[in-house]
Amino acid sequence: GLLLWLSGGAIDLLDEHYWQPPWLGLAEDGFRSSGMVLVVMGCLQVMRQVCDVYGQMATQAMSDELTRLPNRRYFRQMLNEQWLPGSAMLMIDLDHFKRINDDGGHDVGDRVLQDFARLLHAQCPAGGWVARLGGEEFAMLLRGDADEALRIAEAIRAAAAASRTVDDVQYSASIGLAVWQQGEAVGEMMRRADQALYRA
């Protein structure tokens, strides 16, 4: 498109300084018009590709590549922007994960993480958020009271204990639960859930 546009300009320049046949004048208009249209179309295509790349990069920055769950950055963002009083938080950790990696290798460990991520996604109720914070540690933000959060935590624990991966690896999970208290900051609730996880 740019080449056609420049060709039209070059022909116009020749027309100003030299004689040219009438048919070349028609070609000049065609070259210039076609070139302008193609340049605009090319610019739109480049803009579309830039937007696609930006969207992919934004998604990668907020999600965990292995498990496809949101990552710590996205989870903290959601906590700061969308959490509500009456929320409960689960901090979840796979037990003895280093032993799984040592016995089966990191590929087996990765499949355990992927299997557990699918389990958490299936157990997460509507309106809840689940994320991988790093390593074998996960978190879930729930809407509802302590009894409902405790029921979900127990369902996750039982489902993990009953599961086996494609490598026939059995694993278990420990869970810490904290329910939002009046006047409490998000970071404090997260700290209490983490302490409960450590005790578990």
Side-chain angles (χ1 to χ4, degrees):
L2 186 58
L3 181 60
L4 287 174
W5 197 349
L6 291 175
S7 298
I11 294 172
D12 184 45
L13 187 63
L14 289 174
D15 186 29
E16 295 293 332
H17 298 283
Y18 302 99
W19 174 87
Q20 65 176 0
W23 63 267
L24 196 55
L26 296 175
E28 170 197 332
D29 293 337
F31 284 178
R32 182 177 297 165
S33 300
S34 300
M36 292 172 66
V37 170
L38 290 174
V39 166
V40 170
M41 291 175 61
C43 289
L44 290 174
Q45 182 66 24
V46 169
M47 292 172 61
R48 187 179 298 114
Q49 290 179 350
V50 168
C51 289
D52 290 343
V53 170
Y54 177 80
Q56 292 172 5
M57 291 177 64
T59 300
Q60 291 172 1
M62 292 295 184
S63 64
D64 175 60
E65 183 178 2
L66 179 66
T67 63
R68 305 299 182 190
L69 291 178
N71 61 15
R72 177 185 291 271
R73 180 186 294 118
Y74 185 78
F75 188 72
R76 290 304 296 260
Q77 180 178 317
M78 296 309 299
L79 281 178
N80 292 326
E81 293 179 1
Q82 297 195 20
W83 80 290
L84 299 173
S87 299
M89 184 181 295
L90 304 180
M91 298 290 284
I92 311 160
D93 195 87
L94 287 171
D95 299 326
H96 311 295
F97 186 69
K98 184 178 184 302
R99 186 186 305 163
I100 294 174
N101 271 335
D102 291 344
D103 292 345
H106 289 286
D107 288 344
V108 172
D110 286 349
R111 285 190 285 273
V112 169
L113 291 171
Q114 290 169 334
D115 187 82
F116 188 56
R118 287 190 291 270
L119 184 153
L120 289 177
H121 188 269
Q123 294 289 338
C124 186
W129 295 92
V130 61
R132 182 188 179 196
L133 301 185
E136 68 272 22
E137 189 174 16
F138 298 80
M140 186 180 290
L141 183 68
L142 304 168
R143 313 293 190 205
D145 57 19
D147 291 339
E148 176 67 9
L150 188 60
R151 183 194 67 77
I152 293 171
E154 177 57 25
I156 292 171
R157 188 206 60 77
S163 67
R164 286 187 178 273
T165 68
V166 294
D167 302 296
D168 201 33
V169 174
Q170 188 171 14
Y171 57 87
S172 62
S174 297
I175 304 173
L177 166 63
V179 179
W180 182 80
Q181 298 176 351
Q182 186 69 34
E184 183 177 49
V186 175
E188 179 61 22
M189 182 172 69
M190 196 169 186
R191 185 187 65 81
R192 289 194 299 108
D194 199 49
Q195 289 178 340
L197 172 62
Y198 181 77
R199 291 193 298 273

